[in-house]
Amino acid sequence: MIITAMRNWKPAPGELLEWHPVDDARPLVESAPVDPTPPSFLQENHVRGVRAVADRGGTHTAYLGSATEVAGDLDVAALTLAFEQFLLRHEGLQTWFETDGGAVVRRRVPPAAARLRAVSAGECSAPDQFLDYVRDRLSRDATPLSWPAVAFGAVARPGGFTLYYGADHAFSDGASQVLVLAELIDLYRAAQSNRAPTDISAWTGSFLEHVAIENEKAEAVDADSPELAEWIDVVRAHGGAMPSFPLDLGLAPGETAPVEPIEMDLLGADDTAAFDAACREAGGKFVTGLFAAVAITDHELAGRDDYAGITVLGTRHLGDFALSQGWFCNFAPVTFPVAGAGDFRTLVGRASEAYARTKATAAAPIGKVLQLLFESGVGGAGLASSPHLLSYIDFRWFPGHGSEADDDAILFTGEGRTANASMWFNRDDRHFYLGSQTPATPEAQRQVARYHQHLREVLQTVARDGNRVVGGGACT
């Protein structure tokens, strides 16, 4: 599986099929009761944003999707059953949200509502035609404001078909999108052969349980909690806001621009292994070596003597959620000094100590953190903007790696507007690469290109030499 831009997804021509609730299920959806489980913090803020976009007539783009190729003629009945079983397995997917008077309310359908039928949306023969179609489809159907908040689809042709799944971000994350294809194909193959699918119930705890755990942890955090200390230092150092991209992207405060997706190969397979070895020889691991390389780039291009970034951490370890569907994420700062380090090896040690603190800091749910930062006066209006994020995913450790679902799989996101250039680093058997959603303006693209090229040089030098001097690149 690779993460790529939607425009690079070009399935072969075929019949477009969509799955929607059967007519008899609609009354069950319309009369679905309120579920007592509130939205998580991330869900609530996301839903409010989606509602605001809808109210002003905008296009919904806050979704994720994944797709793969499946061998053999499409068995519509088997795939329909697979989709229905998938909805029944994941309790969180049986819900959606309503907004009423400012409140965000979760509603939940009964299991009997999870009955679907395939609907033909015509034929598709051109890549541009398909891209327009799937963007419209996911904008319409993968929304948290209706049920289901996910979209099942296929492009059918003799001898095989493209399987795709889209989900509003409130109901999915990157790991969920990696997991979903293997699960759907297992359910599909089981239905085809009239056998029981793989039992994964021990690892598919409900996202509603995760919300309860998160809320319980939030109640234990207050202004004096040690988890808040690092956040306070970072926010104060950035004028009451979150860290931003280290170079000036040429946008005015509050200004956004349409997204321009960036993809860049950073290291081939051999160099990735060499970089990994250099990180371990320095006493760290791949992810802390990555932070060290990013810190060197920030120092040499932006003159920053201290690295401060926000990273994404999974929260599936809080329960039996390893294979669950949902938004299992938290965010925490990574901070360490760069000045005086001398070389990459030294910075790996500092980054490793910082990352250990980061994991401890991540015990505090981000919603409670932001609340406390606002209430204390440490954080200002800048806390409401999206931070500059760094994410690292190693696709080799997912259970579906190397399977039928994984070989031709892609993962993509909707593309709206941005003022930032967060970095999503990914590793697989073939390479180590970067994805970023960046502002589509000439100045932003110039600055992003400078940064990414410099970072690649740092990584390649470490892979080749096992080390790199800090200050070895000009601060221009």
Side-chain angles (χ1 to χ4, degrees), residues 133-155:
Y133 159 76
V134 80
R135 279 178 171 161
D136 180 69
R137 166 88 206 279
L138 298 183
S139 295
R140 180 184 70 247
D141 293 338
T143 165
L145 304 179
S146 62
W147 189 86
V150 300
F152 302 110
V155 186

Side-chain angles (χ1 to χ4, degrees), residues 401-419:
H401 175 66
S403 68
E404 174 188 6
D406 184 63
D407 287 343
D408 298 308
I410 64 167
L411 190 161
F412 57 87
T413 66
E415 298 162 4
R417 299 180 66 88
T418 188

Side-chain angles (χ1 to χ4, degrees), residues 7 135 249-251 255-262 415-421 436-449:
R7 66 190 179 202
R135 279 178 171 161
L249 296 178
L251 299 175
E255 182 184 5
T256 63
V259 161
E260 175 63 30
I262 299 293
E415 298 162 4
R417 299 180 66 88
T418 188
N420 224 325
S436 181
Q437 291 196 339
T438 65
T441 65
E443 178 61 13
Q445 291 303 298
R446 184 184 75 84
Q447 294 284 52
V448 167

Side-chain angles (χ1 to χ4, degrees), residues 20-102:
H20 297 281
V22 300
D23 291 341
D24 290 348
R26 299 315 307 176
L28 296 176
V29 176
E30 293 167 1
S31 62
V34 171
D35 189 279
T37 307
S40 70
F41 170 81
L42 293 177
Q43 285 182 321
E44 182 171 4
N45 282 270
H46 173 85
V47 171
R48 292 184 188 280
V50 172
R51 179 78 269 171
V53 169
D55 287 346
R56 63 173 181 263
T59 300
H60 174 53
T61 58
Y63 52 78
L64 303 94
S66 52
T68 193
E69 298 301 317
V70 184
D73 292 343
L74 171 59
D75 183 334
V76 173
L79 191 54
T80 301
L81 180 59
F83 291 149
E84 292 173 345
Q85 291 176 323
F86 179 77
L87 288 174
L88 292 172
R89 271 185 175 178
H90 300 285
E91 191 175 39
L93 299 184
Q94 298 163 31
T95 73
W96 83 102
F97 295 102
E98 289 183 346
T99 55
D100 183 17

Side-chain angles (χ1 to χ4, degrees), residues 97-185:
F97 295 102
E98 289 183 346
T99 55
D100 183 17
V104 178
V105 176
R106 185 192 301 272
R107 290 192 178 272
R108 180 178 172 184
V109 300
R115 290 177 290 132
L116 307 175
R117 62 186 176 95
V119 178
S120 177
E123 298 282 332
C124 182
S125 58
D128 289 344
Q129 177 191 1
F130 176 77
L131 183 59
D132 289 342
Y133 159 76
V134 80
R135 279 178 171 161
D136 180 69
R137 166 88 206 279
L138 298 183
S139 295
R140 180 184 70 247
D141 293 338
T143 165
L145 304 179
S146 62
W147 189 86
V150 300
F152 302 110
V155 186
R157 62 192 75 87
F161 63 95
T162 303
L163 169 68
Y164 72 86
Y165 171 81
D168 179 80
H169 204 339
F171 295 86
S172 188
D173 57 15
S176 295
Q177 291 293 324
V178 178
L179 294 167
V180 65
L181 296 177
E183 183 177 348
L184 286 174
I185 290 183

Side-chain angles (χ1 to χ4, degrees), residues 8 321 337 344 382:
N8 296 328
F321 307 121
F344 171 82

